[in-house]
């Protein structure tokens, strides 16, 4: 999870995916190839002779994040920066975004207290919803009000995983786990997993040098610049 400027977001994400696959599977760094599936998600172009791995990347604000795991499971990650909407007051912004959440979710958001707390709870719900939609691969084409989250722990903290949030689809509770935490005072992160009792792994901030450790150039030495 490196901190970065917005211009480096895609580059950092690709480098982190390559690093994760190389270190998780032992597959040569410079032989890892990506393509996009029919939903636009980056996937491995070549099948690896190793346990199945799943990974997902997200970027917003000051961070690019990657979550990954071994096994046959669905996994999605999202990071959201808490920012006041430009040129709109909060009530008007919530009105414009009214179809984003169910009435139960809006009740939780609007009962959170101050404008700052309401905006934080709004962003937290958005982060949860995006992580789930990325895991199932449907994007925002689904009716967002059909996916409803119930928050059981109101406050998130840095370096501490909360995993008791529940999700319902059209009123039916789903057996998913959501691991949430704060990266800092302005950034929420959520990992969606379609299984329970997963190891709680706190996000670790790494520097660009860490991302590039053991990297191998992808271009031949004789390429002219």
């Amino acid at each position: 999870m490196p901190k970065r400027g917005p211009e480096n977001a895609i580059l950092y994400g690709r480098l982190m995916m390559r690093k994760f696959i190389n270190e998780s599977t032992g597959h040569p760094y410079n032989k890892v190839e990506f393509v996009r599936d029919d939903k636009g998600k980056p996937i491995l172009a070549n099948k690896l002779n190793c346990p199945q791995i799943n990974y997902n990347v997200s970027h917003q604000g000051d961070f690019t994040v990657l979550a990954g795991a071994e096994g046959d499971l669905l996994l999605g990650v999202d990071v959201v920066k808490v920012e006041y909407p430009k040129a709109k007051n909060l009530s008007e912004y919530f009105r414009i975004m009214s179809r984003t959440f169910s009435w139960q979710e809006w009740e939780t958001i609007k009962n959170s207290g101050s404008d700052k707390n309401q905006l934080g709870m709004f962003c937290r719900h958005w982060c949860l919803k995006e992580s789930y939609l990325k895991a199932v691969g449907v994007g925002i084409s689904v009716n967002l009000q059909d996916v409803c989250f119930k928050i059981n722990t109101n406050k998130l903290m840095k370096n501490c995983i909360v995993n008791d949030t529940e999700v319902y689809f059209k009123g039916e509770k789903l057996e998913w786990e959501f691991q949430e935490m704060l990266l800092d005072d302005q950034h929420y992160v959520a990992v969606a997993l379609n299984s329970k009792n997963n190891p709680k792994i706190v996000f670790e901030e790494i520097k660009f040098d860490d991302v590039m450790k053991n990297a191998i150039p992808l271009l031949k030495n004789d390429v002219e610049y």
Side-chain angles (χ1 to χ4, degrees):
M1 180 195 69
K3 243 182 177 179
R4 49 79 189 154
E7 69 279 0
N8 296 322
I10 296 175
L11 171 62
Y12 272 21
R14 284 303 181 97
L15 291 173
M16 290 168 68
M17 287 192 299
R18 187 175 295 276
K19 178 181 178 68
F20 172 72
I21 293 167
N22 168 245
E23 293 187 356
S24 299
T25 68
H27 194 69
Y29 184 95
N30 58 335
K31 300 297 183 182
V32 177
E33 296 181 27
F34 297 104
V35 295
R36 291 191 179 273
D37 63 14
D38 56 357
K39 296 174 182 176
K41 183 177 179 180
I43 60 173
L44 285 170
N46 43 344
K47 300 230 179 240
L48 306 183
N49 186 22
C50 61
Q52 184 175 352
I53 59 171
N54 294 273
Y55 54 89
N56 197 224
V57 171
S58 179
H59 54 80
Q60 192 183 39
D62 300 328
F63 291 95
T64 298
V65 298
L66 179 144
E70 290 187 4
D72 184 16
L73 79 167
L74 299 179
L75 177 151
V77 66
D78 196 56
V79 59
V80 171
K81 183 176 182 180
V82 181
E83 294 181 295
Y84 276 87
K86 296 179 181 179
K88 295 185 181 72
N89 61 48
L90 199 59
S91 59
E92 176 64 11
Y93 180 63
F94 283 176
R95 186 192 67 79
I96 293 171
M97 302 295 289
S98 60
R99 295 185 179 181
T100 305
F101 301 117
S102 67
W103 69 264
Q104 297 98 325
E105 292 171 315
W106 277 119
E107 190 172 71
T108 300
I109 292 167
K110 293 181 179 180
N111 288 336
S112 296
S114 66
D115 282 2
K116 179 180 178 181
N117 289 342
Q118 288 184 47
L119 181 61
M121 189 60 77
F122 173 94
C123 292
R124 183 177 171 186
H125 276 81
W126 183 265
C127 190
L128 285 163
K129 199 156 291 198
E130 280 287 323
S131 71
Y132 171 75
L133 296 177
K134 289 176 71 176
V136 297
V138 296
I140 59 173
S141 59
V142 70
N143 185 345
L144 296 178
Q145 293 180 335
D146 287 340
V147 182
C148 179
F149 285 89
K150 180 185 176 185
I151 302 292
N152 292 309
T153 298
N154 287 329
K155 187 175 180 180
L156 298 181
M157 296 183 293
K158 291 182 281 187
N159 300 318
C160 181
I161 297 291
V162 166
N163 69 339
D164 61 354
T165 292
E166 301 169 18
V167 65
Y168 295 79
F169 183 72
K170 295 184 177 181
E172 180 181 351
K173 184 178 178 180
L174 305 181
E175 291 301 310
W176 280 68
E177 181 174 309
F178 296 86
Q179 296 193 3
E180 304 174 79
M181 62 174 279
L182 293 180
L183 299 179
D184 62 19
D185 293 339
Q186 289 186 294
H187 294 80
Y188 289 94
V189 66
V191 179
L193 300 150
N194 70 330
S195 63
K196 292 285 192 177
N197 303 315
N198 299 285
K200 291 184 178 181
I201 302 177
V202 173
F203 277 86
E204 176 186 354
E205 185 175 339
I206 60 175
K207 306 299 183 184
F208 184 73
D209 288 346
D210 298 318
V211 177
M212 296 304 296
K213 185 178 179 181
N214 300 323
I216 298 174
L218 305 183
L219 298 176
K220 295 180 179 180
N221 292 334
D222 59 354
V223 172
E224 295 182 0
Y225 294 92

